[in-house]
Amino acid sequence: MRRVSVFGATGSIGESTFDLLRRRDDIATVALSGGRNVARLAEQARALRAEIAVTAFDDCYPALKDALAGSGIEAAAGTAAVIDAAERPADWVMSAIVGAAGLAPGLRALERGATLALANKESLVTAGPLVMATARAHGATLLPVDSEHSAVFQALTGEDMAAVERIIITASGGPFRDWPTSRLARATLEEAMNHPSWQMGQRITIDSASLFNKALELIETREFFGIAPERIEVLVHPQSLIHALVGFTDGALMAHIGPADMRHAIGYALNWPDRAALPVERLDLARIGRLEFEAPDPARFPALRLAREVMDTGGHAGAAFNAAKEVALDHFIARRIGFADMAATVEAVLDDLSRGPELASPVKSLDTVQAMDQMARQSAAAIIAARA
C-alpha cells in the first residue's frame, strides 16, 4: 500500500488532494499539516486515518489535540514539527503549503528520496537550483502540480527537450484584464478576489489578479524545465481551458486542454506514470464554441517584467522577489497599501538589495535562501512604512 503525506492540507490544493485521497482504499495517509483551521485539519485526519496531524502554529496545539482526542492520531505543532513530519516515511508527498514556508519540508521529503508533488511554486522560485540538486542527489522524483507546469510536463511526455523551441503558459488575465491602468490603483480587495475562472484561496487569487502568480510561474518554468527565459512566453487566455502549450522546432504546438479543476493536475501526479479515472468535468468543445487569446499588457501587469529581471539577475533574486511580494500582499490584504503598490514595493526592494553582493550570489543552501528572505522582508516593511 502506498503511503502519502499532504502538507498544506486545509488550503485549496490540499482540499482537492483530500477529495481524491478519500476515494481511494489503496493509500495510507501518514501526515497532514495545516494552519489555524485545526477543526478542518482534524476532520481530514480522522477521515483519512492519518498517523499525525500538524498545525504550523504553536498556539493552535491545544485545540488540535482536543479535536483529535480518542482518535489515536498524534497531534503536533510548530514549524519544526512540520519539518519533522516530512521526515516520516511516505512514498508520495504533496507540497501545498503557501509561500516560502513550504521550502524546508519539501527539501526534507526530497532528502528521503520521496516523490514530491510540487504545488508550492515558491520552492523553485526561491531555491530552484537547490531543490533540483537535492532531488538528483537523493534519487527523488519531482512532479509539477501547478496546472501550467503539469500541462507542460504532460505535453513533453516522450519528447526530446532538444526539439523544444518555446513553452507558453497561459493566464486568465484575472478580474482586471480589461481595466484601464489608471483604475487599478483604486482596485479593492473584494474586486481582486473576484476571479473569473478558478476557485482558489485568498492569496493565490489576489496574486492571479496582479499576475504575480504568473510571474512566479515564469521563474518556476525556467527552473523546472531548464529552458532559457527568452523561450518562455505568457499568453492571456480568458477561458482558462488551455493551461500551457509547447512549441517544437518543426513548428508544431502541443496544447494541453482541460477544465479549470486542480484535481486533474493533482490526480496526474498522484497516479503518475499511469493515468486513472478522475472526477473532473469532461469538456464539451462544441458548447464552449471558441477559445480566445491575447498578449498580456505590460503596463497593467508589471509583475511579468519584474520576473524576467529576476531571471536575468539569478542567484537569490527569486527569494527576494517572492519575500517582497509576500509582504506587499499581506499589507494589501490588511488594506494598508493599494493594489498597484504591491508591484511598486517589490521593484523597490529588488533595487534596494541590488546594491549589495548577496542578491546575485549563487544559491548554495537553505540558510542563504532564508537569509535573503529575511533581508527582503525587512526591506519591504521599511519601504512600505516610509511611504505611509
Side-chain angles (χ1 to χ4, degrees):
M1 181 171 287
R2 293 174 68 199
R3 292 166 57 83
V4 307
S5 290
V6 181
F7 293 89
T10 56
S12 59
I13 297 293
E15 287 286 5
S16 292
T17 306
F18 169 77
D19 180 68
L20 295 180
L21 293 178
R22 70 181 178 84
R23 301 168 187 267
R24 303 281 291 265
D25 57 9
D26 60 339
I27 290 176
T29 302
V30 178
L32 299 178
S33 84
R36 294 192 176 279
N37 190 356
V38 294
R40 179 55 179 161
L41 180 61
E43 185 178 18
Q44 290 178 334
R46 286 177 177 271
L48 296 178
R49 295 190 289 276
E51 295 176 9
I52 184 171
V54 187
T55 169
F57 299 97
D58 291 301
D59 60 307
C60 291
Y61 175 72
L64 179 60
K65 186 177 180 180
D66 288 346
L68 291 173
S71 68
I73 299 169
E74 185 180 349
T79 301
V82 174
I83 296 172
D84 288 344
E87 292 184 339
R88 296 198 175 207
D91 308 301
W92 187 90
V93 176
M94 167 57 74
S95 174
I97 296 173
V98 176
L103 175 59
L107 284 172
R108 196 60 57 89
L110 290 175
E111 289 168 353
R112 288 194 300 97
T115 293
L116 185 68
L118 189 63
N120 174 258
K121 64 188 90 250
E122 292 86 356
S123 291
L124 289 179
V125 171
T126 62
L130 178 62
V131 171
M132 301 304 286
T134 301
R136 288 191 299 269
H138 296 275
T141 299
L142 193 64
L143 297 175
V145 173
D146 269 345
S147 60
E148 296 81 2
H149 303 92
S150 175
V152 173
F153 187 79
Q154 293 180 56
L156 287 173
T157 299
E159 302 289 350
D160 185 350
M161 276 300 295
V164 175
E165 193 170 69
R166 57 181 174 149
I167 290 176
I168 304 169
I169 59 175
T170 61
S172 71
F176 306 139
R177 178 172 62 90
D178 298 320
W179 281 34
T181 305
S182 58
R183 185 182 170 193
L184 282 178
R186 302 190 302 276
T188 67
L189 176 63
E190 290 73 21
E191 289 168 330
M193 284 293 297
N194 187 28
H195 198 282
S197 307
W198 293 89
Q199 296 296 318
M200 305 177 291
Q202 182 185 55
R203 298 181 73 82
I204 191 172
T205 300
I206 299 169
D207 279 348
S208 294
S210 65
L211 257 66
F212 262 110
N213 185 57
K214 204 57 50 178
L216 295 175
E217 290 172 358
L218 269 174
I219 302 170
E220 185 181 6
T221 302
R222 192 275 302 270
E223 297 295 341
F224 195 99
F225 298 104
I227 189 170
E230 62 270 18
R231 293 164 58 195
I232 309 170
E233 303 172 25
V234 173
L235 185 65
V236 173
H237 169 49
Q239 289 81 17
S240 297
L241 297 176
I242 292 180
H243 304 296
L245 306 95
V246 176
F248 296 93
T249 52
D250 61 0
L253 278 173
M254 187 81 71
H256 177 284
I257 182 169
D261 187 333
M262 285 305 301
R263 289 179 299 176
H264 173 79
I266 296 165
Y268 184 81
L270 180 63
N271 295 296
W272 182 88
D274 301 318
R275 288 186 183 270
L278 295 173
V280 300
E281 177 189 3
R282 271 52 175 174
L283 296 180
D284 181 345
L285 296 180
R287 179 181 59 80
I288 293 166
R290 62 189 297 173
L291 301 174
E292 300 169 299
F293 307 95
E294 61 187 68
D297 182 349
R300 185 179 289 110
F301 302 122
L304 298 178
R305 170 180 57 81
L306 294 173
R308 293 196 180 277
E309 292 175 5
V310 164
M311 289 189 287
D312 287 342
T313 301
H316 289 84
F321 177 77
N322 178 72
K325 188 275 299 181
E326 289 189 15
V327 172
L329 178 58
D330 288 339
H331 282 265
F332 175 69
I333 291 171
R335 305 179 194 273
R336 290 192 288 266
I337 64 173
F339 184 81
D341 294 328
M342 290 189 288
T345 298
V346 173
E347 185 162 19
V349 169
L350 292 172
D351 181 63
D352 177 32
L353 297 180
S354 69
R355 298 183 178 93
E358 298 89 355
L359 191 69
S361 63
V363 174
K364 295 182 178 179
S365 69
L366 178 60
D367 288 342
T368 64
V369 172
Q370 291 177 333
M372 176 53 68
D373 179 276
Q374 289 304 307
M375 288 177 62
R377 289 176 191 275
Q378 292 167 6
S379 175
I383 288 167
I384 291 171
R387 290 175 174 172

